[in-house]
């Protein structure tokens, strides 16, 4: 008896889109990729070579792909600027949605997506925060839940990309929302997961520099930035994001509790091989995010598919994705203005008197 398969359409065949389509096509047994969309002729050409042989129908119009016979779900890996619109269009067509982060760089738009999703509770609508599906981070969450480090009080987390001299990140900054929304949103999501999704910011501050890509200044963005979020529940998060690493991807996290500490990837390495030679000891690290989180993306694809087919709860709430972008946007504002932002106990922004 053949297994039931979720019929999936893929939106976007760029860098992240190719990751998703490969996972759903080759590493998600309960899913069947039946359609794919891209507005880019070069990506359509790629699809003819890599997708059509598997029976995937290609579209250069997103609305037409949504009409594909039997389509049940859409995976969105297009540009951030259209994530929200494409998600809401899919919801309107009664389709499940897995959307790459963030839903939008605009907090109000994020809220509008979450509100629309609430009108159709039978649909599974999820924002893809890949670290939630990483085995190491899941073990940290389990150990926190078991009380093994007491009360988690401090999170130190970073997202650091390998330096790209091509100018890609400068062009990307025009619409990315800034380093905190684009990069640290992962670390913010982890903070809410580990410290409690009801955590309410008390104050937010940030500082940044353009150490290697001064062209970022025209977009009010930075290649290195640090941010601090103080929460009303007596906890603090410290974030560092960078696009300057010469050696490769370096994403690390520490959760410090009242009775211990947990860390993930403090000594980054691509595998368990160390090369001992006359110049010292060499340990390679992943070159990019996929080298570090490739397995997490596979878990994400399979768990989203299972949730759609079995009508089981999603691994994370859409409201959390909204809150992560909200905090990221405040961090970005603090970064650009140089001013600390304050909030009351229920999250309303307040202005403090200047002495």
């Amino acid at each position: 008896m053949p297994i039931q398969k979720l019929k999936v359409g893929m939106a976007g065949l760029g860098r992240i889109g190719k990751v998703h389509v490969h996972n759903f096509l080759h590493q998600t047994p309960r899913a069947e990729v039946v359609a794919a969309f891209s507005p880019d002729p070069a990506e359509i050409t790629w699809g003819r070579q890599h997708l059509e042989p598997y029976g995937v129908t290609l579209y250069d119009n997103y609305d037409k792909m949504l009409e594909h016979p039997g389509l049940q779900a859409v995976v969105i890996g297009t540009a951030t600027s259209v994530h929200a619109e494409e998600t809401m269009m899919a919801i309107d067509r009664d389709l499940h949605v897995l959307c790459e982060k963030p839903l939008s760089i605009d907090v109000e738009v994020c809220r509008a997506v979450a509100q629309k999703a609430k009108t159709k509770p039978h649909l599974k609508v999820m924002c893809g925060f890949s670290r939630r599906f990483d085995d190491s981070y899941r073990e940290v969450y389990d150990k926190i839940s078991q009380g093994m480090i007491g009360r988690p009080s401090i999170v130190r987390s970073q997202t650091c990309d390998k330096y790209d001299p091509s100018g890609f990140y400068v062009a990307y900054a025009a619409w990315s929302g800034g380093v905190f929304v684009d990069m640290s949103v992962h670390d913010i999501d982890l903070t809410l997961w580990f410290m409690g999704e009801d955590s309410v910011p008390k104050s937010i501050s940030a500082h940044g520099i353009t150490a290697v890509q001064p062209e970022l200044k025209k977009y009010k963005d930075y290649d290195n930035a640090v941010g601090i979020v103080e929460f009303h529940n007596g906890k603090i998060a410290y974030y560092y994001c960078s696009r300057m690493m010469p050696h490769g991807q370096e994403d690390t996290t520490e959760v410090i509790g009242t009775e211990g500490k947990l860390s993930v990837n403090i000594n980054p390495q691509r595998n368990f091989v160390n090369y001992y030679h006359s110049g010292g000891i060499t340990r390679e690290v992943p070159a990019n995010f996929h080298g570090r989180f490739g397995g997490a993306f596979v878990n994400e694809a399979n768990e989203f598919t299972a949730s759609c087919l079995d009508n089981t709860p999603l691994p994370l709430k859409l409201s959390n994705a909204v809150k992560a972008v909200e905090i990221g946007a405040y961090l970005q504002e603090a970064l650009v203005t140089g001013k600390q932002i304050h909030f009351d106990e229920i999250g309303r922004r307040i202005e403090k008197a200047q002495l």
Side-chain angles (χ1 to χ4, degrees):
M1 180 175 166
I3 63 171
Q4 182 187 7
K5 291 197 173 187
L6 183 72
K7 295 187 182 301
V8 178
M10 314 298 299
L13 298 174
R15 182 175 62 164
I16 191 65
K18 287 183 175 72
V19 170
H20 285 300
V21 75
H22 179 273
N23 290 340
F24 275 89
L25 191 63
H26 300 296
Q27 300 195 70
T28 310
R30 299 184 69 190
E32 178 185 1
V33 179
V34 297
F37 152 75
S38 174
D40 185 338
E43 292 179 8
I44 292 292
T45 299
W46 179 89
R48 289 196 184 103
Q49 180 181 355
H50 296 91
L51 302 181
E52 281 189 339
Y54 293 95
V56 179
T57 303
L58 299 174
Y59 294 88
D60 60 6
N61 182 292
Y62 179 69
D63 198 53
K64 288 184 178 179
M65 187 194 76
L66 297 183
E67 297 173 357
H68 187 88
L71 192 68
Q72 297 171 287
V74 178
V75 177
I76 298 173
T78 46
T80 301
S81 57
V82 294
H83 282 181
E85 178 186 3
E86 291 177 348
T87 297
M88 290 192 281
M89 288 173 67
I91 293 171
D92 284 338
R93 296 296 183 91
D94 225 32
L95 299 170
H96 304 294
V97 183
L98 169 57
C99 180
E100 187 52 45
K101 66 83 194 168
L103 290 171
S104 171
I105 62 172
D106 186 310
V107 177
E108 290 304 320
V109 173
C110 289
R111 289 174 179 152
V113 174
Q115 191 60 41
K116 180 174 279 289
K118 286 182 179 179
T119 67
K120 295 194 176 182
H122 63 287
L123 293 179
K124 305 299 180 182
V125 183
M126 186 175 85
C127 189
F129 284 96
S130 54
R131 294 180 202 184
R132 291 265 191 147
F133 300 88
D134 179 72
D135 291 341
S136 295
Y137 281 111
R138 286 184 163 180
E139 185 169 340
V140 166
Y141 177 78
D142 288 343
K143 283 179 164 49
I144 291 173
S145 299
Q146 294 166 23
M148 294 178 66
I149 62 167
R151 185 177 66 257
S153 303
I154 304 287
V155 167
R156 290 194 301 211
S157 198
Q158 69 179 47
T159 298
C160 296
D161 290 341
K162 185 174 183 178
Y163 173 61
D164 182 349
S166 71
F168 168 81
Y169 285 124
V170 175
Y172 181 53
W175 49 269
S176 71
V179 287
F180 283 116
V181 174
D182 180 52
M183 301 175 70
S184 295
V185 71
H186 283 292
D187 306 290
I188 298 166
D189 176 65
L190 289 174
T191 301
L192 296 173
W193 193 28
F194 296 152
M195 288 188 167
E197 295 179 358
D198 58 347
S199 298
V200 177
K202 181 178 181 182
S203 68
I204 291 177
S205 57
H207 299 277
I209 58 172
T210 50
V212 294
Q213 295 181 318
E215 302 92 344
L216 286 167
K217 290 181 180 178
K218 65 182 176 182
Y219 297 115
K220 297 182 179 180
D221 205 8
Y222 301 81
D223 51 31
N224 286 266
V226 295
I228 296 177
V229 180
E230 176 191 14
F231 294 95
H232 276 287
N233 56 8
K235 300 175 182 180
I236 293 176
Y238 167 91
Y239 305 122
Y240 169 48
C241 47
S242 174
R243 300 199 193 277
M244 191 178 70
M245 298 295 106
H247 55 282
Q249 193 79 12
E250 188 174 338
D251 302 335
T252 66
T253 300
E254 290 179 283
V255 184
I256 303 164
T258 55
E259 298 173 24
K261 182 178 83 167
L262 294 162
S263 67
V264 178
N265 207 37
I266 290 297
N267 294 302
Q269 57 190 77
R270 186 170 64 90
N271 52 35
F272 296 112
V273 176
N274 288 329
Y275 170 42
Y276 297 74
H277 52 94
S278 60
I281 303 172
T282 302
R283 180 181 69 246
E284 295 182 357
V285 303
N288 52 44
F289 74 96
H290 191 257
R292 169 63 183 89
F293 295 108
F297 279 96
V298 174
N299 289 340
E300 178 183 83
N302 280 275
E303 292 182 26
F304 172 75
T305 298
S307 181
C308 294
L309 291 173
D310 302 334
N311 194 27
T312 53
L314 288 166
L316 62 155
K317 299 175 182 177
L318 199 60
S319 58
N320 198 74
V322 177
K323 191 169 186 177
V325 171
E326 183 177 27
I327 293 175
Y330 281 129
L331 279 163
Q332 196 70 25
E333 180 185 340
L335 177 63
V336 173
T337 64
K339 297 179 179 179
Q340 189 177 53
I341 304 172
H342 301 271
F343 307 85
D344 65 15
E345 289 82 355
I346 60 174
R348 295 176 303 190
R349 185 169 177 167
I350 57 177
E351 297 298 329
K352 291 220 169 183
Q354 301 295 316
L355 298 179

